[in-house]
Amino acid sequence: MAAGALGLLGVAAGRAQAQSVAISVDATAPGAPIPRIWDFHGFDEVNYSTSAEGRSLLDTLGQIDPTPPHIRMHFLLNTGNGTPALKWGSTNVYTADAAGNPVYSWTITDQIMDAVTGAGGLSFTEIAFMPQALSPHPTPYQNSSTYASDSGSFYPPNDYAKWGDLINTWAGHLNSRYPDVAQSWLWELWNEPDLSYFHGTAAEYEKLYDYTEAALHQAIPTAKLGGPAVASAGSSLLSSFLQHCANGTNAVTGKTGTRLDLVSFHAKGGAAIVSGHVEMNIGQQLSLHRTGFSAVAAVPAFKQLPIYVSEADPDGCAACPVSSTPADAYRLYPAYGTYVIEMSKRTLELASSMGVNIGGLITWAFTFPGTPYFAGYRALGTNGIELPVLGAFRLLGGLNGARLPVTSSGAAALASILTNSVRGAADVDGMATLDGDKVEILVWNYHDDLVTVTPATVNLTVRIPASFGPMVSMTHLRVDEEHGDAYTVWTSQGSPKTPSAAQIQAMQAGMLPAAVGAPQSLPVVGGTATISFTLPRSGMSLLTLSSSAAAVDGGVSGGAGRGGAPGSA
């Protein structure tokens, strides 16, 4: 692993002995369609979505996967003129005239939703925060600083009936404007009400939910609404909210219980500098998922509701650059993408073991227009250049169809990860699908420690359906420091603050998942195809085996999972 511009990547003592891993895939035993829990993205700065850079990234997210991505954003209901700002946003949907009557304006929110839906996405609509005219503390209204949460928008309403009217009117407008609202959009009330994003009590949040639920479902009876999007999966507010919806008195109807269609909470893993290098903590991430799953499972009426970890990230501050938080250097490297893939598979495994229904994991990362190249914000792209984590999503986009059984001698046990994270041997594992005449196999090499070690040797055997014939064609796409890593290209250029046109072109050429060797034809011997390759720490490989003699690209080399030319972030 390259030393990197920040010098925070280490070299393992003695360069640990190379790992040799046997992975087997049975393409003759397809199961249910693979749950696409990674097709969810979000970010604070709602007005960035309509910037040129933001629109381009939304277009990319809409292209790289066959499933439309859901997009979640803060500040959709805040008062203001829509000027983009770090950790702030506004849409001016609600003001009041001199007599206190509501004045609605959908101009800015329509532009935002047009950007999402125009890119082929769907809204994971975060209903927040409080318009100034409905806030009991309207001044000062904006946060006192970028990283403060003391806005007048973080309060329950001064008039719950007017809040309900706003939600009802806005939802009706959206339902008439966009074709997929009633069937496919998801709705969530507020963001982290257990922190300073909500200057109210748990009871006030529950009352707000009751009014929101009544108003939304009056406008769109089939809308899927939930919460409470708490920052801590162990928050008492999560348990209190679930009990309120199951057994509490509804503030609108006076009856017992409130309709709940989904449950959400947040979970962050943790990143630190240890012995001079970055160390991540996938175990903590998954432990928090387990805590939240347990809270939902404890309420029988809601155990099978879809659960969304509506912020699922390796650390807690997307808008903090590496200059202020050096441990967040992981964001610039393939390690971030490997973490996302590892988290996705292990969360599916955890949910299955606990008998709960995981709906999605929202990666809270987007782009930060106007900031320096590779500043280390939690982002998918920087100044139109894709980061390796977006390459991971491109590879995940290749997993389509029925999930296949995968076994790996290098896979860590889930119980061990929950207890110890991945601090000993690396977790070398895979997921695979059968999609018509293609077998797609995603293999990765995850470890918490971002250090240079000898690559693992992967010996892959694939049981091939008889219909594929005696030969299969294979393509191999990779994201690691030598494939699909524009940051490595940039550092090799001397980390220019203002890259030349030629340097930008070189970064663009190096930012997409790249082929490892030429397409190959492999014999099927005794019903099995065999492939061997090396995979470096934090590397990700997508191998496509096809019954066709012609090589295929696995649906991601051009980045167009649902058709169209590749976009750039």
Side-chain angles (χ1 to χ4, degrees):
M1 183 172 287
L6 298 165
L8 293 175
L9 303 182
V11 178
R15 291 179 63 87
Q17 184 176 359
Q19 211 172 346
S20 182
V21 176
I23 297 179
S24 63
V25 176
D26 187 356
T28 68
I34 192 164
R36 311 193 64 80
I37 63 172
W38 49 81
D39 293 331
F40 298 82
H41 302 273
F43 49 100
D44 288 54
E45 296 80 6
V46 62
N47 303 111
Y48 285 173
S49 61
T50 54
S51 68
E53 196 173 321
R55 287 179 184 275
S56 180
L57 180 51
L58 287 171
D59 286 343
T60 296
L61 294 175
Q63 292 167 2
I64 64 177
D65 199 284
T67 302
H70 277 84
I71 308 297
R72 177 181 184 257
M73 296 169 277
H74 293 342
F75 304 110
L76 273 170
L77 301 181
N78 275 40
T79 301
N81 62 9
T83 301
L86 198 65
K87 291 186 69 67
W88 184 258
S90 59
T91 61
N92 221 42
V93 295
Y94 183 100
T95 54
D97 64 18
N101 299 310
V103 178
Y104 301 124
S105 173
W106 316 124
T107 301
I108 297 176
T109 53
D110 283 352
Q111 292 170 351
I112 292 164
M113 295 304 180
D114 286 354
V116 171
T117 60
L122 302 168
S123 179
F124 192 108
T125 313
E126 180 191 297
I127 303 174
F129 295 107
M130 194 58 57
Q132 189 171 19
L134 287 176
S135 173
H137 297 275
T139 55
Y141 185 69
Q142 193 160 343
N143 290 329
S144 60
S145 67
T146 298
Y147 301 102
S149 297
D150 51 6
S151 162
S153 68
F154 299 147
Y155 287 86
N158 56 28
D159 189 316
Y160 282 86
K162 287 183 177 179
W163 166 266
D165 289 342
L166 165 61
I167 302 309
N168 178 267
T169 307
W170 183 42
H173 168 77
L174 293 171
N175 194 36
S176 66
R177 183 177 176 88
Y178 304 101
D180 296 317
V181 172
Q183 180 179 358
S184 302
W185 285 24
L186 300 172
W187 304 75
E188 176 188 50
L189 177 63
W190 221 258
N191 176 71
E192 299 183 349
D194 53 334
L195 296 184
S196 54
Y197 280 102
F198 189 70
H199 298 304
T201 64
E204 287 173 316
Y205 175 82
E206 292 158 6
K207 180 178 180 179
L208 186 66
Y209 183 83
D210 292 348
Y211 273 84
T212 303
E213 184 276 323
L216 177 64
H217 287 133
Q218 183 183 48
I220 312 173
T222 58
K224 298 176 178 64
L225 170 69
V230 289
S232 170
S235 170
S236 61
L237 195 152
L238 173 58
S239 298
S240 171
F241 171 72
L242 293 171
Q243 289 298 329
H244 170 77
C245 290
N247 305 305
T249 300
N250 188 297
V252 176
T253 67
K255 298 179 180 179
T256 299
T258 305
R259 174 176 164 181
L260 183 64
D261 305 303
L262 60 92
V263 182
S264 64
F265 61 84
H266 296 173
K268 311 289 182 175
I273 304 298
V274 177
S275 301
H277 68 269
V278 176
E279 184 176 79
M280 304 175 79
N281 196 340
I282 191 74
Q284 177 169 297
Q285 178 90 50
L286 295 169
S287 293
L288 290 170
H289 293 188
R290 179 176 59 183
T291 298
F293 292 171
S294 295
V296 177
V299 184
F302 299 144
K303 184 175 181 179
Q304 292 307 309
L305 287 183
I307 300 169
Y308 294 87
V309 186
S310 54
E311 292 183 24
D313 304 293
D315 74 285
C317 180
C320 296
V322 172
S323 58
S324 64
T325 51
D328 290 343
Y330 77 84
R331 299 167 174 180
L332 300 170
Y333 295 93
Y336 184 9
T338 316
Y339 185 102
V340 168
I341 295 173
E342 174 86 359
M343 175 174 56
S344 297
K345 176 169 184 179
R346 296 306 185 176
T347 300
L348 286 170
E349 185 179 352
L350 178 65
S352 177
S353 71
M354 297 181 68
V356 297
N357 177 14
I358 178 65
L361 305 172
I362 295 183
T363 294
W364 202 251
F366 193 57
T367 190
F368 291 82
T371 59
Y373 283 81
F374 301 102
Y377 295 95
R378 197 190 312 130
L380 302 178
T382 172
N383 291 281
I385 305 298
E386 295 186 13
L387 291 165
V389 64
L390 188 50
F393 283 106
R394 287 183 178 275
L395 296 183
L396 282 165
L399 292 178
N400 303 304
R403 193 172 181 184
L404 298 174
V406 177
T407 59
S408 172
S409 66
L414 177 60
S416 174
I417 297 175
L418 288 166
T419 302
N420 305 308
S421 201
V422 182
R423 303 283 168 83
D427 190 9
V428 183
D429 204 358
M431 291 189 288
T433 58
L434 177 66
D435 185 19
D437 63 354
K438 292 192 299 184
V439 178
E440 304 278 7
I441 306 163
L442 182 59
V443 181
W444 61 93
N445 183 342
Y446 176 80
H447 198 282
D448 282 342
D449 292 302
L450 275 64
V451 296
T452 299
V453 298
T454 303
T457 297
V458 176
N459 299 299
L460 174 65
T461 58
V462 185
R463 190 75 179 165
I464 300 294
S467 61
F468 277 45
M471 299 289 293
V472 292
S473 62
M474 185 196 79
T475 60
H476 185 167
L477 287 174
R478 171 74 61 80
V479 174
D480 60 23
E481 286 199 335
E482 296 180 357
H483 304 81
D485 186 353
Y487 177 64
T488 295
V489 176
W490 182 71
T491 57
S492 73
Q493 296 169 345
S495 306
K497 292 183 179 179
T498 307
S500 67
Q503 288 172 325
I504 291 172
Q505 185 177 18
M507 287 187 281
Q508 291 172 335
M511 70 187 186
L512 299 178
V516 177
Q520 301 178 43
S521 291
L522 302 175
V524 178
V525 180
T528 299
T530 303
I531 310 105
S532 294
F533 56 94
T534 59
L535 186 63
R537 174 72 59 86
S538 300
M540 301 156 269
S541 280
L542 179 69
L543 297 97
T544 302
L545 306 183
S546 174
S547 62
S548 170
V552 294
D553 70 0
V556 298
S557 62
R562 291 192 291 128
S568 62

